[in-house]
Amino acid sequence: MAIQLFVPTFDVEACLSEIRECLEKGWPGMGFKTLAFEEEWKKYTGHKNAYFLNSATAGLNLAFDILKENNNWADNDEVITTPLTFISTNHAIALAGLKPVFADVDEYLCLDPESVKKMITKKTKAIIFVGLGGNTGRYEEIKKICKDNGLKLILDAAHMSGTRLNGKFPGLDADVAVYSFQAVKNLPTADSGMICFADEKLDKEARVKAWLGINKDTYARTSAGGNYKWKYDVEYIGNKYHGNSIMAAIGLVQLRHLEEDNEYRRKIAAQYRAGFAKCDKIKTVPIPEGCLNSQHLFQIIVDDRDGLLAFLNENDIYPGVHYIENTQYRMYDYAKGTCPKATYVSDHVLSLPLHMRLTEADVNLVIEKVLEYVQK
Ligand SMILES: *Cc1c(COP(=O)(O)O)cnc(C)c1O
């Protein structure tokens, strides 16, 4: 049977019963389960604020829009970012009228603080850190650079549901952290995300902007007694970014499984690591001291990545690539060639299958086939 990169696994009966509640109550939209999920997420992570959205992309877009407005950033002010990420990260910067400035990555495949420092100019306003695959990389050093230079810190925590750094959720130290609960992330729904601002005022603004700039949400209006649905004000140009109760229902259930799921991911990762330990043709990504990795990805770096990919596909094994460096895309090719380590990784990295349905035998088969190819 084929071994896929990602297969989300749901606690189906429990999800259906949470969804049934929404349908029976006649409340599938915003409010009800979305508020319940926000509360559970705050309890789990320690975030003071959490707002449930229809995706992490929406969250990143909101984050830059709101930070720009509240800090009086100008168009073309700069945000230092990584080329090794899903395109949402960098589109969010550009969509807000800001400029993505690319710094290189380090052996953790996350932003390299030394490279970041070189990219700071008078126009730099913020740094966005992507915890690639759940890794915390040199996040502490990036935090310090932000502090020393008066820069805002945004954490793209799309891969980091469950990641701890020294026992704590790294997002707690950022101005804003954005999580993804897209179908193949560690806490799968179908599509949704969470935005967690440190500042409560910005959380409130996000709630308004994520619903077209309307200043009272439906739930607050109908539960306030009166039924004046048309009596609202519009304070901003907003978008429709808020989440719904069906997704939140799935999120509530899957959150209960996140710790054990991540434990299983770490077990698979340990098996891969042990399997490749004696092979100097395969490089794995180190995990820094103090990092409990959510292990969203297990990545290896090999000489002939494309050949290995083709060979694994012939053997019914389907890995992935995270990511092609964004500076190779036309949108961001003004920075092409400026991040040599990211370019190398982009050409040589491979993400091996990693999900709840993999057995020990599956993982051994993947290890065996990878070794067979690289040792040929
Ligand atoms: C998945 C992902 C996103 C976007 O998440 P969605 O919920 O699908 O919008 C953003 N950044 C990274 C690094 C991702 O992997």
Side-chain angles (χ1 to χ4, degrees):
M1 227 184 55
I3 300 180
Q4 303 290 348
L5 172 65
F6 294 137
V7 183
T9 295
F10 295 95
D11 183 347
V12 175
E13 289 312 318
C15 286
L16 290 177
S17 109
E18 287 277 343
I19 291 170
R20 174 179 293 276
E21 253 190 83
C22 302
L23 302 182
E24 286 179 349
K25 189 181 171 72
W27 204 295
M30 169 172 53
F32 187 40
K33 294 286 179 198
T34 66
L35 297 174
F37 187 35
E38 287 165 9
E39 285 314 307
E40 289 304 313
W41 188 251
K42 287 195 279 187
K43 254 190 258 167
Y44 171 65
T45 58
H47 278 291
K48 274 189 291 178
N49 303 296
Y51 180 42
F52 185 62
L53 296 167
N54 59 32
S55 70
T57 302
L60 293 165
N61 292 351
L62 264 179
F64 286 105
D65 176 29
I66 290 176
L67 287 175
K68 185 187 185 198
E69 183 186 82
N70 279 273
N71 296 287
N72 299 311
W73 297 346
D75 282 347
N76 289 318
D77 275 352
E78 297 170 359
V79 179
I80 298 176
T81 181
T82 172
L84 272 196
T85 184
F86 185 57
I87 199 68
S88 292
T89 315
N90 292 317
H91 274 359
I93 301 168
L95 192 65
L98 302 164
K99 185 178 177 198
V101 170
F102 294 91
D104 212 345
V105 299
D106 58 16
E107 71 270 31
Y108 303 109
L109 314 190
C110 295
L111 274 182
D112 178 352
E114 293 313 313
S115 175
V116 166
K117 280 186 212 160
K118 288 186 199 137
M119 303 313 287
I120 295 176
T121 71
K122 271 191 228 139
K123 286 188 157 189
T124 308
K125 303 296 178 193
I127 300 174
I128 183 162
F129 187 88
V130 179
L132 200 78
N135 204 311
T136 53
R138 294 199 168 86
Y139 183 65
E140 292 296 320
E141 288 168 67
I142 298 293
K143 258 167 57 184
K144 185 164 186 306
I145 293 173
C146 286
K147 195 158 170 262
D148 292 349
N149 293 275
L151 307 176
K152 297 291 175 192
L153 176 59
I154 297 105
L155 182 64
D156 180 339
H159 298 178
M160 298 178 103
S161 291
T163 289
R164 314 295 206 286
L165 181 55
N166 301 319
K168 186 172 118 172
F169 280 79
L172 299 181
D173 297 327
D175 291 284
V176 55
V178 177
Y179 299 85
S180 175
F181 310 132
Q182 190 267 341
V184 302
K185 301 289 160 73
N186 289 37
L187 194 170
T189 60
D191 260 314
S192 61
M194 196 77 85
I195 189 164
C196 301
F197 277 105
D199 181 347
E200 191 182 344
K201 177 175 161 268
L202 302 187
D203 173 81
K204 290 222 168 74
E205 188 174 325
R207 286 167 196 272
V208 174
K209 283 200 159 175
W211 193 47
L212 290 314
I214 293 172
N215 78 350
K216 279 169 154 186
D217 71 36
T218 313
Y219 196 69
R221 277 183 284 122
T222 51
S223 58
N227 200 21
Y228 302 105
K229 284 193 168 56
W230 58 92
K231 282 208 159 185
Y232 55 72
D233 193 11
V234 181
E235 297 175 75
Y236 306 98
I237 291 180
N239 222 307
K240 193 163 150 73
Y241 282 158
H242 65 77
N244 67 62
S245 288
I246 305 290
M247 287 303 120
I250 300 174
L252 276 166
V253 173
Q254 293 302 123
L255 175 55
R256 291 178 216 139
H257 296 279
L258 181 57
E259 287 294 311
E260 55 178 301
D261 285 1
N262 285 354
E263 206 50 60
Y264 192 65
R265 287 172 179 276
R266 286 188 285 270
K267 199 177 141 213
I268 292 172
Q271 196 184 338
Y272 277 135
R273 263 181 219 285
F276 300 137
K278 290 205 189 83
C279 179
D280 61 3
K281 291 184 170 143
I282 299 169
K283 265 204 245 137
T284 56
V285 182
I287 297 175
E289 186 80 26
C291 171
L292 180 70
N293 194 326
S294 68
Q295 207 71 67
H296 175 60
L297 301 174
F298 187 84
Q299 296 171 287
I300 58 172
I301 294 171
V302 292
D303 280 343
D304 179 15
R305 190 263 317 276
D306 293 343
L308 174 59
L309 244 176
F311 177 77
L312 292 174
N313 287 174
E314 279 163 27
N315 285 278
D316 232 5
I317 298 167
Y318 300 93
V321 172
H322 299 88
Y323 290 92
I324 299 300
E325 57 170 346
N326 291 183
T327 51
Q328 291 189 21
Y329 300 136
R330 225 173 309 166
M331 275 293 309
Y332 302 109
D333 66 3
Y334 56 83
K336 197 171 178 175
T338 59
C339 303
K341 285 185 198 146
T343 304
Y344 183 83
V345 174
S346 176
D347 291 341
H348 297 270
V349 78
L350 193 65
S351 302
L352 296 179
L354 183 49
H355 58 81
M356 290 324 113
R357 301 187 195 189
L358 288 179
T359 63
E360 207 177 319
D362 292 333
V363 177
N364 279 334
L365 181 65
V366 176
I367 292 170
E368 183 191 311
K369 292 295 166 191
V370 170
L371 289 174
E372 184 181 327
Y373 187 81
V374 302
Q375 290 173 339
K376 215 163 38 183

